[in-house]
Amino acid sequence: MSVQVPREAGEFLVDTFPKDFVWGCATASYQIEGAWDKDGKGVNIWDTFCHEGGHVENNDTGDVACDSYHKYPEDVKLLKDLGVSHYRFSISWSRILPNGTKSSVNQKGIDYYNRLIDALLEANIQPFVTLYHWDLPQPLQDLGGWPNEALVEHFVDYARVCFESFGDRVKMWLTFNEPYVFCGLGYEYGFHAPGIKDTGRSAYQASRTVIKSHAKTWHLYDDEFRAKQNGKIGITLDSDCFVPKDPNSEADKEAYNTSFEFKLGWFANAIFGEGNFPKLVLDKVAAKSKEQGLSESRLKPFTEEEVKYIKGTFDYLGLNHYTTRLSTPGYKGGEADVCYLADRAVEEETDPAWERAGSEWLYVVPWGLRQLLNDIKTRYNNPPVFVTENGCSDRENAIDDVKRVFYYQSYINQTLKATKQDGCNVKGYFAWSLVDNFEWAMGYAERFGLHFVDFNDPERKRTAKSSAKAYTQIVKENGFKEKPANM
Ligand code: GBH
């Protein structure tokens, strides 16, 4: 079991991060680019999902978004003003390969990312590139999407085009962003594109394809590109922090472990741990499947050969973290339900004392990030970790966003404690997000930006919020040279 950190912020730590610590901001293609049908781009599942209507608050779409396809020089300027060393953005697969496969390469799409990368380097900002942040080419969804293992080859083909086109200048890669979310919300619950509700099956199947795609892409980079391009490649996984609801209850401690393995462990155990899905997850899904009269488990383990191929396929872990939950045994649904939540059988609760942000799910619990970093250190042998997303939302359109200022100061301070006091191998931190953007099913109603974007203005004017100033200060000091006045 890992170190249990205090369930409170504790005394503010005045100290700085290691010298080579990386500071950045993050975005994703569909959330900011717009230009959904410009210059030969193909249609992806988020285009389809939004255009269908009925899935997104206010029926908002990413058709224009922040118009970063045209306004990227302004984004680069904002990054420069923040003083960050890195920018995490994602590539839109359909811009590069309009029908999803290597049979169609769209030079104009490649040109766009060349312009962006060159502008970043010109400003002395390093690109940190996510290959897949949820915008699957529609023709590949028409083949069945991620539950179809044929997508492994298509993903690797796409990755190869990206390494060949951009790898001379991009040295930091991520294969996937948050497979837990796009497998679960996309194929189990249907809240996200492609909107499929096939509980207890498709998300598990999708997770196998994604892990295999990741591993094969890592090997491709390692075998054919690393020597000449000299970059690194990992994956970004998301996780809440989980703790036992009652720290003295054995049942709650077990529930915490179950929460962990069904969330971060689902994807991390194969790549960063033992090479397969966590035994606990495999056992629970197999037992339920048997109870349900099925001849096979709904979650098929990887074979021994696959395990060898997958295990250790990382240079670092990207971690997206926002919030915390208290785990206790239970499942509120029906006896016969076939679904992830019934397989897991843990209730994940919140504390009424926790502050809330502008998203239903987002409770502000700064110590949770320190706890989670400690869990990762213990469970996966202290891998290099980049916090590739952390941030908070509001629905108030505030420019003087005092709550977000507090969120960043306190979460970064807990990251500092994990790094300096607990020995967690944290290499960098990225704020989500550079600009307000298309917040998936919440459309433009929830804002996560350090910069306000006026979505009623055709120019999509960007304005720095107070949080941008606070973040600039932290980046400049590489931590905290003194305790912020408001803390
Ligand atoms: C990240 O997901 C994403 O990588 C990023 O694109 C996104 O903009 C950012 O966080 C902020 O959300 O109410 O059941 O629909 C973080 C994980 C996944 C947490 C979706 C909230 C909504 C659950 N998020 N989830 S539900």
Side-chain angles (χ1 to χ4, degrees):
M1 231 3 70
S2 73
V3 178
Q4 298 298 299
V5 315
R7 294 189 187 186
E8 58 185 17
E11 207 177 311
F12 194 89
L13 177 63
V14 175
D15 199 353
T16 56
F17 284 88
K19 271 208 175 63
D20 56 353
F21 198 80
V22 155
W23 293 100
C25 285
T27 62
S29 48
Y30 189 78
Q31 295 180 272
I32 66 160
E33 285 178 1
W36 76 280
D37 61 350
K38 290 275 157 60
D39 293 341
K41 177 182 160 294
V43 173
N44 65 46
I45 57 174
W46 274 94
D47 295 320
T48 306
F49 194 68
C50 293
H51 292 161
E52 211 166 73
H55 301 295
V56 176
E57 188 159 332
N58 200 30
N59 280 328
D60 287 338
T61 75
D63 289 0
V64 180
C66 308
D67 198 21
S68 289
Y69 187 74
H70 300 106
K71 305 238 169 281
Y72 71 90
E74 288 182 31
D75 295 343
V76 175
K77 169 84 167 60
L78 302 180
L79 289 158
K80 205 169 158 66
D81 291 346
L82 289 168
V84 295
S85 57
H86 286 66
Y87 179 41
R88 174 175 178 242
F89 63 92
S90 79
I91 294 179
S92 159
W93 188 341
S94 317
R95 256 189 226 295
I96 305 284
L97 306 177
N99 73 15
T101 77
K102 65 180 176 189
S103 68
S104 64
V105 180
N106 180 33
Q107 188 56 43
K108 286 194 169 163
I110 293 179
D111 291 345
Y112 166 65
Y113 293 105
N114 278 331
R115 291 195 294 277
L116 171 60
I117 291 165
D118 291 345
L120 287 167
L121 293 175
E122 180 72 22
N124 205 15
I125 296 161
Q126 303 304 312
F128 202 128
V129 175
T130 313
L131 289 171
Y132 185 82
H133 200 126
W134 307 357
D135 41 3
L136 185 70
Q138 184 61 43
L140 299 183
Q141 181 52 40
D142 298 341
L143 297 178
W146 290 109
N148 181 354
E149 285 202 11
L151 262 69
V152 174
E153 291 310 319
H154 294 306
F155 183 78
V156 175
D157 287 344
Y158 160 59
R160 178 187 288 280
V161 174
C162 292
F163 297 152
E164 282 171 352
S165 306
F166 312 121
D168 57 334
R169 288 153 294 153
V170 173
K171 304 302 167 188
M172 307 293 268
W173 295 97
L174 295 159
T175 51
F176 289 96
N177 179 71
E178 300 190 352
Y180 175 91
V181 175
F182 73 82
C183 293
L185 297 189
Y187 296 92
E188 169 104 9
Y189 304 103
F191 295 155
H192 280 187
I196 289 167
K197 292 185 195 134
D198 176 37
T199 59
R201 284 192 176 78
S202 282
Y204 290 141
Q205 186 53 38
S207 72
R208 292 176 48 88
T209 310
V210 170
I211 291 169
K212 285 183 163 189
S213 302
H214 163 81
K216 195 154 188 193
T217 303
W218 187 89
H219 282 291
L220 169 69
Y221 192 79
D222 201 48
D223 293 343
E224 297 185 37
F225 292 92
R226 191 190 293 278
K228 59 175 186 284
Q229 297 188 341
N230 211 13
K232 292 190 167 156
I233 179 161
I235 185 169
T236 279
L237 304 178
D238 63 299
S239 191
D240 299 350
C241 165
F242 299 104
V243 290
K245 184 178 181 187
D246 170 356
N248 300 313
S249 147
E250 285 309 314
D252 287 1
K253 284 191 213 170
E254 216 177 286
Y256 142 77
N257 188 49
T258 304
S259 286
F260 189 95
E261 295 291 38
F262 266 82
K263 184 131 194 179
L264 192 63
W266 180 4
F267 294 90
N269 201 64
I271 300 163
F272 299 88
E274 301 154 313
N276 215 323
F277 296 109
K279 183 169 183 310
L280 178 141
V281 173
L282 287 170
D283 288 352
K284 282 196 189 277
V285 182
K288 272 272 168 198
S289 301
K290 200 166 169 201
E291 238 175 79
Q292 290 154 355
L294 303 168
S295 57
E296 272 197 337
S297 176
R298 287 176 280 103
L299 178 60
K300 209 168 98 188
F302 292 115
T303 64
E304 246 176 75
E305 213 179 307
E306 288 169 335
V307 163
K308 267 196 240 147
Y309 187 74
I310 295 165
K311 190 178 165 176
T313 52
F314 67 90
D315 298 321
Y316 40 71
L317 168 66
L319 176 70
N320 289 358
H321 172 78
Y322 290 88
T323 195
T324 292
R325 293 289 184 270
L326 308 169
S327 298
T328 192
Y331 171 64
K332 295 204 177 84
E335 268 294 288
D337 289 0
V338 178
C339 63
Y340 167 90
L341 291 175
D343 292 337
R344 187 186 69 189
V346 172
E347 291 298 334
E348 296 176 348
E349 302 177 357
T350 54
D351 184 330
W354 292 343
E355 282 282 334
R356 305 189 64 171
S359 307
E360 192 57 36
W361 52 274
L362 214 174
Y363 291 74
V364 182
V365 191
W367 56 263
L369 179 49
R370 182 182 180 192
Q371 178 65 61
L372 177 59
L373 289 166
N374 273 277
D375 285 356
I376 290 168
K377 176 190 174 204
T378 312
R379 286 168 181 261
Y380 306 118
N381 196 24
N382 211 12
V385 175
F386 289 89
V387 177
T388 41
E389 284 180 29
N390 178 235
C392 95
S393 54
D394 70 69
R395 283 178 168 258
E396 289 121 45
N397 303 350
I399 299 287
D400 185 21
D401 54 342
V402 285
K403 282 185 168 178
R404 185 172 292 103
V405 169
F406 173 81
Y407 186 101
Y408 279 117
Q409 288 168 337
S410 54
Y411 271 74
I412 292 171
N413 203 247
Q414 296 295 323
T415 308
L416 182 62
K417 288 182 182 178
T419 309
K420 293 294 276 248
Q421 299 183 338
D422 309 338
C424 298
N425 195 7
V426 188
K427 298 294 191 191
Y429 176 96
F430 291 74
W432 182 272
S433 178
L434 176 64
V435 282
D436 292 336
N437 57 47
F438 176 78
E439 177 53 17
W440 307 113
M442 298 302 138
Y444 298 100
E446 293 178 9
R447 294 172 179 269
F448 276 86
L450 293 170
H451 297 90
F452 180 86
V453 176
D454 183 353
F455 292 104
N456 296 318
D457 176 355
E459 292 302 316
R460 295 299 191 272
K461 186 166 181 292
R462 287 108 159 105
T463 307
K465 303 180 189 176
S466 299
S467 56
K469 293 180 188 119
Y471 191 56
T472 306
Q473 175 89 5
I474 294 170
V475 171
K476 193 166 136 210
E477 295 183 4
N478 194 29
F480 305 91
K481 296 228 157 106
E482 57 188 59
K483 186 171 155 179
N486 57 309
M487 293 296 289

